[in-house]
C-alpha cells in the first residue's frame, strides 16, 4: 500500500531586518516546535510498527529520521557588515549624544549674550535654530562617512541616510534646546537619562517588552523613530520619504521650535523685572 511514512515541510519566513534578536528567537522557537513534533511522530509511528510486528525499510527509516522538514527563508537580511543587525541602534547612539552636545554648546554660547529688547531675544532663538540646521547637515554626512569608511557598516543609500540622520539630529537638537531654554542645564540631564534607559529598548521587539514599557515608554521614545527610519533605509531598501518616522520627527522638531521661540518671551520678561536684559 501507500507509504505510511512521508516527510512534510514546515516553512518559516524570518524578517531579519525588522529585529535581528526577535528573528533569531523566533527561529529557535520554531526549531524547538518542529523537533518536538518530529519526536512525537517517531514515537507514534514506531509504536504502531511494533504493534503490527513490522520492520522498517531503509527508505522508511530515512523518512522517519525527520518526518517534518524545516525550510527557512530569510527576508530583508541584515548582511555581514551591519554590526550583527544592530547598525540602526549603533548610529542612533552617537546621534543622540551629538544632539545633546550641540544643543548645550550653542545654548552656553548664546547664554552669555545681552539683549536690549524682546526682539533681539527672539532673533537669538532663530539663530539657535539656524545653527542647529547647519550642525544637522554636518552631523548627517559626518556620521555616515565615519560609519561606512571607519567602522565598515554597509550603507546602501548614502545621501538618503545622511539626510535622514540630519532630520533626526535637527529634531533632537530643537527638542533639547527648547527644554534647556526653559529650565536650564538640568534639562539636558533628562535627555541623558533618556539615553541610558531608552537605548536598550531599541534592540528589543515591542512584542518582547513588558506592557508598561511598550505602552508608556517605547511608544513615544524619540530615538525609536530614528531607529525605525534607519532600518527602512539600511535593511528594507526604502528611500527617504514622508513615512511615519520622518513625519513624527518633523512634528517633534516643529513643536520644539515653537516652544523655543516662546522661551524668548519668558526670559525677556524675567530680565525686564530684574532690570537687566539677558538671555
Amino acid at each position: 500500500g501507500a507509504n505510511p511514512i512521508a516527510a512534510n515541510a514546515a516553512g518559516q519566513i524570518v524578517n531579519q531586518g525588522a529585529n535581528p534578536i526577535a528573528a533569531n528567537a523566533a527561529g529557535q522557537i520554531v526549531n524547538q516546535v518542529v523537533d518536538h513534533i518530529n519526536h512525537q511522530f517517531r514515537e507514534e509511528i514506531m509504536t504502531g510498527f511494533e504493534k503490527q510486528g513490522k520492520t522498517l525499510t531503509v527508505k522508511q527509516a530515512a523518512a522517519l529520521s525527520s518526518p517534518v522538514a524545516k525550510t527557512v527563508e530569510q527576508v530583508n537580511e541584515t548582511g555581514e557588515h551591519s554590526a550583527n543587525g544592530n547598525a540602526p541602534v549603533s548610529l542612533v547612539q552617537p546621534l543622540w549624544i551629538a544632539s545633546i552636545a550641540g544643543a548645550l554648546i550653542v545654548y552656553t554660547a548664546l547664554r552669555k549674550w545681552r539683549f536690549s529688547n524682546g526682539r533681539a531675544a527672539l532673533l537669538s532663538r532663530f539663530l539657535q535654530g539656524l545653527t542647529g540646521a547647519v550642525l544637522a547637515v554636518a552631523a548627517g554626512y559626518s556620521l555616515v562617512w565615519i560609519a561606512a569608511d571607519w567602522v565598515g557598516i554597509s550603507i546602501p543609500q548614502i545621501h538618503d541616510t545622511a539626510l535622514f540622520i540630519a532630520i533626526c539630529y535637527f529634531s533632537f537638537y530643537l527638542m533639547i534646546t527648547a527644554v534647556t531654554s526653559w529650565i536650564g542645564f538640568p534639562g539636558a540631564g533628562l535627555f541623558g537619562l533618556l539615553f541610558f534607559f531608552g537605548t536598550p529598548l531599541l534592540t528589543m521587539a515591542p512584542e518582547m517588552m513588558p506592557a508598561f514599557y511598550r505602552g508608556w515608554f517605547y511608544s513615544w521614545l524619540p530615538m525609536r523613530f530614528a531607529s525605525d527610519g534607519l532600518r527602512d533605509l539600511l535593511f528594507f531598501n526604502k528611500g527617504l520619504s514622508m513615512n511615519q518616522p520622518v513625519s513624527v520627527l518633523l512634528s517633534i522638531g516643529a513643536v520644539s521650535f515653537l516652544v523655543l521661540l516662546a522661551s524668548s518671551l519668558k526670559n525677556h520678561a524675567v530680565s525686564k523685572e530684574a532690570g537687566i536684559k539677558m538671555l
Side-chain angles (χ1 to χ4, degrees):
N3 188 354
I5 304 175
N8 297 308
Q12 175 190 1
I13 297 178
V14 177
N15 189 355
Q16 194 176 34
N19 190 287
I21 296 178
N24 293 335
Q28 293 176 0
I29 292 173
V30 171
N31 288 336
Q32 292 175 359
V33 171
V34 173
D35 290 342
H36 180 68
I37 293 174
N38 281 334
H39 177 73
Q40 286 187 322
F41 277 0
R42 284 193 295 268
E43 291 291 328
E44 293 177 1
I45 293 173
M46 290 299 296
T47 301
F49 270 84
E50 288 179 359
K51 290 181 178 180
Q52 297 177 15
K54 296 181 178 180
T55 59
L56 295 175
T57 65
V58 174
K59 186 176 180 180
Q60 290 173 335
L64 185 60
S65 64
S66 182
V68 178
K70 294 171 288 189
T71 58
V72 179
E73 178 184 356
Q74 296 277 359
V75 297
N76 301 317
E77 296 185 50
T78 58
E80 296 181 357
H81 305 285
S82 63
N84 294 323
N86 292 315
V89 180
S90 299
L91 291 172
V92 169
Q93 290 176 334
L95 170 62
W96 185 263
I97 294 175
S99 302
I100 296 176
L104 288 180
I105 291 173
V106 175
Y107 172 77
T108 302
L110 292 179
R111 190 167 180 265
K112 300 176 181 179
W113 290 13
R114 299 291 186 269
F115 303 102
S116 58
N117 52 53
R119 178 180 296 179
L122 184 61
L123 289 176
S124 74
R125 299 299 189 260
F126 278 102
L127 180 59
Q128 281 181 285
L130 180 61
T131 304
V134 174
L135 291 175
V137 175
Y141 280 93
S142 298
L143 189 55
V144 166
W145 173 62
I146 293 173
D149 291 354
W150 289 14
V151 181
I153 294 177
S154 176
I155 301 179
Q157 305 179 79
I158 296 293
H159 294 292
D160 282 3
T161 304
L163 290 176
F164 178 74
I165 291 177
I167 292 173
C168 296
Y169 182 99
F170 193 43
S171 174
F172 297 159
Y173 169 92
L174 290 175
M175 179 174 57
I176 297 166
T177 300
V179 173
T180 53
S181 296
W182 277 93
I183 65 178
F185 286 107
L190 298 177
F191 294 100
L193 292 175
L194 195 61
F195 173 81
F196 286 109
F197 289 101
T199 302
L201 297 179
L202 300 180
T203 61
M204 300 175 59
E207 295 78 10
M208 301 173 65
M209 298 178 189
F212 172 80
Y213 285 101
R214 183 173 62 249
W216 296 93
F217 194 66
Y218 180 79
S219 60
W220 56 264
L221 188 65
M223 292 178 287
R224 164 235 174 154
F225 300 102
S227 178
D228 289 346
L230 286 171
R231 290 188 188 280
D232 288 343
L233 290 165
L234 298 179
F235 303 146
F236 289 81
N237 295 321
K238 295 182 180 179
L240 184 63
S241 63
M242 191 59 67
N243 52 18
Q244 184 193 30
V246 174
S247 301
V248 172
L249 289 167
L250 290 177
S251 299
I252 292 174
V255 173
S256 299
F257 187 60
L258 293 177
V259 174
L260 175 63
L261 295 180
S263 69
S264 66
L265 303 177
K266 183 266 301 184
N267 286 339
H268 179 65
V270 173
S271 298
K272 185 176 181 180
E273 182 179 351
I276 57 174
K277 308 295 186 218
M278 64 176 63
L279 179 65

